[in-house]
Amino acid sequence: MDDQPRLMHSSHGVGMAGHPGLAQHMQDGTGGDADGRKQDIGDILQQIMTITDQSLDEAQARYKGGGSAAAAAAAAAAGGAGADNSAEHSDYRAKLSQIRQIYHTELEKYEQACNEFTTHVMNLLREQSRTRPISPKEIERMVNIIHRKFSSIQMQLKQSTCEAVMILRSRFLDARRKRRNFNKQATEILNEYFYSHLSNPYPSEEAKEELAKKCSITVSQVSNWFGNKRIRYKKNIGKFQEEANMYAAKTAATATSVSTHGSQANSPSTPNSAGSAGSFNMNSGDLFMSVQSLNGDSYQGAQVGANVQSQVDTLRHVISQTGGYSESLAASQIYSPQGINANGGWQDAPTPSSVTSPTEGPGSVHSDTSN
DNA sequence: GGTGATGATTTACG
DNA sequence: CGTAAATCATCACC
């Protein structure tokens, strides 16, 4: 019930207070303007603001699924990977160019109006010069005044446009305001990395960049993701078991498929997750828990542990058989929760970047068989 | 509309 | 500076 520090999203109207007495500016020189519509810079502002406002709603509506056809089309046009990112981007750019167009149109109009008005005044002066002597200096002065008025108006317009653009930008850039989930593929990649580095889920800067590139997200988003993931995983390991198993199995499957070595019939070779993970899970769902227990917690079922150990060993075996592939999959170790110590908190890595390594030979897998 | 999942931000620590 | 932890704000699903 305390007051909370509330500061961030408060601002909506960044400045924009705007257009003070423009109408006056316009009028005081003219009296009877030829154009009739030009004194409404406020109108334009309104228009611009409307656009920026719309952009928010549209952006939201866009992802509600309703009119996703357009979004999908845009995404498709943008091409596969960075699809949603660039869809958003194109939307942003559309708004931007819309604003710019309005600005240019209006600017042009004002210029034209300025010219027209100037000639108009000149004509008037010329007429008056019949009845009254009018010095050229006076004419010049008049013209100057007019030009100054118009240019100040144009400045105003410019400023308003700038503000509008800034608002637009801040809205589109404030990711928290319109957070969107990463796409399936990105999540998959991240999870894969996370679970295959579960003993030390701290990607180096390079790894982050790589992941970011693969997932079409930024490095800081990768950092955020890992931060969230670590904390949430640690907080409730049980909840993530299924997922962990799944990705472990998937990694294993990938490994086996890479090996093209079909001799072992008993490994969960169905590549595509669900089925294999399901059956595997059923057999060892809480068995993994036991393995976990072995490492840190109250350990309750030795035989079960042994049982699962054999399973794991099989997997490890299969994997280590395929030990040649070093590329992007790197050292894909099987799901091994032992990095986490009882207090919570991963045993940190000595140096964040030099960690790449449990490339132990097929024999020396860190088997925790404490017996 | 309620609710859990999830990405982002803030705060605090070493 | 990079993280952990708490928290916020939005999404996605019912």
Side-chain angles (χ1 to χ4, degrees):
Chain A
M1 303 325 184
D2 341 279
D3 49 348
Q4 301 194 345
R6 175 160 301 275
L7 42 149
M8 4 194 323
H9 308 97
S10 52
S11 68
H12 247 250
V14 183
M16 208 40 129
H19 57 283
L22 279 180
Q24 277 182 355
H25 275 255
M26 288 304 279
Q27 276 179 358
D28 78 341
T30 84
D33 55 57
D35 221 350
R37 66 162 301 289
K38 56 190 164 193
Q39 53 227 28
D40 263 3
I41 206 172
D43 246 12
I44 297 157
L45 269 187
Q46 206 64 32
Q47 217 172 331
I48 291 173
M49 283 310 288
T50 306
I51 289 174
T52 48
D53 274 336
Q54 273 176 355
S55 61
L56 227 203
D57 300 337
E58 282 177 17
Q60 282 182 347
R62 181 168 35 116
Y63 282 99
K64 286 290 183 181
S68 61
D84 66 48
N85 200 357
S86 51
E88 177 178 348
H89 211 76
S90 74
D91 194 25
Y92 166 73
R93 286 177 65 178
K95 298 298 175 200
L96 199 63
S97 68
Q98 208 171 336
I99 289 176
R100 203 184 307 167
Q101 193 180 344
I102 286 182
Y103 169 68
H104 278 128
T105 314
E106 293 305 316
L107 196 63
E108 209 170 313
K109 268 185 205 158
Y110 281 129
E111 236 158 68
Q112 196 179 338
C114 179
N115 288 338
E116 279 175 18
F117 185 68
T118 305
T119 57
H120 178 66
V121 169
M122 295 271 270
N123 285 341
L124 278 180
L125 285 177
R126 213 169 294 149
E127 267 181 39
Q128 279 191 0
S129 72
R130 289 177 201 158
T131 60
R132 218 165 258 238
I134 291 180
S135 69
K137 218 164 188 183
E138 199 173 339
I139 295 178
E140 196 183 333
R141 204 171 60 89
M142 215 53 176
V143 171
N144 268 348
I145 287 177
I146 293 170
H147 279 177
R148 242 183 306 157
K149 291 292 181 205
F150 271 95
S151 82
S152 93
I153 286 161
Q154 284 173 354
M155 281 294 264
Q156 203 80 29
L157 175 64
K158 204 172 191 171
Q159 191 180 336
S160 306
T161 307
C162 277
E163 281 172 3
V165 169
M166 277 171 64
I167 289 172
L168 179 70
R169 227 157 87 113
S170 76
R171 289 204 183 163
F172 268 86
L173 260 46
D174 187 358
R176 178 158 163 170
R177 218 182 163 74
K178 50 188 275 318
R179 169 181 89 68
R180 286 191 296 110
N181 293 344
F182 300 151
N183 63 37
K184 193 76 181 157
Q185 196 184 351
T187 313
E188 206 132 303
I189 292 171
L190 293 169
N191 271 317
E192 238 164 72
Y193 188 98
F194 181 80
Y195 286 112
S196 63
H197 295 72
L198 198 51
S199 58
N200 185 46
Y202 296 85
S204 66
E205 199 56 34
E206 293 150 12
K208 280 181 193 170
E209 278 169 29
E210 173 109 10
L211 286 168
K213 203 196 282 186
K214 274 198 221 168
C215 302
S216 325
I217 58 179
T218 68
V219 172
S220 47
Q221 280 179 304
V222 173
S223 297
N224 286 340
W225 190 91
F226 273 88
N228 284 324
K229 190 71 181 180
R230 279 190 301 260
I231 198 72
R232 282 163 186 165
Y233 177 84
K234 199 163 66 176
K235 216 164 187 170
N236 189 353
I237 294 180
K239 185 167 262 172
F240 289 93
Q241 264 173 22
E242 210 175 325
E243 194 175 77
N245 294 344
M246 202 180 90
Y247 280 99
K250 184 179 291 187
T251 305
T254 314
T256 56
S257 81
V258 166
S259 80
T260 71
H261 215 77
S263 60
Q264 301 275 17
N266 73 351
S267 66
S269 57
T270 34
N272 226 346
S273 62
S276 96
S279 65
F280 189 57
N281 184 8
M282 188 177 151
N283 201 3
S284 61
D286 31 11
L287 302 190
F288 266 116
M289 179 79 111
S290 302
V291 169
Q292 228 157 261
S293 304
L294 276 175
N295 302 309
D297 212 300
S298 63
Y299 135 91
Q300 50 185 18
Q303 17 160 315
V304 188
N307 205 349
V308 77
Q309 193 59 48
S310 71
Q311 288 254 22
V312 170
D313 271 346
T314 311
L315 276 177
R316 276 181 184 156
H317 186 58
V318 172
I319 287 175
S320 52
Q321 270 187 339
T322 73
Y325 67 102
S326 55
E327 274 297 293
S328 55
L329 282 179
S332 64
Q333 8 173 233
I334 190 76
Y335 162 56
S336 57
Q338 56 227 40
I340 264 185
N341 68 21
N343 298 341
W346 277 265
Q347 235 95 309
D348 63 77
T351 327
S353 58
S354 72
V355 128
T356 47
S357 66
T359 41
E360 320 177 350
S364 73
V365 211
H366 32 270
S367 51
D368 36 298
T369 56
S370 50
N371 191 351

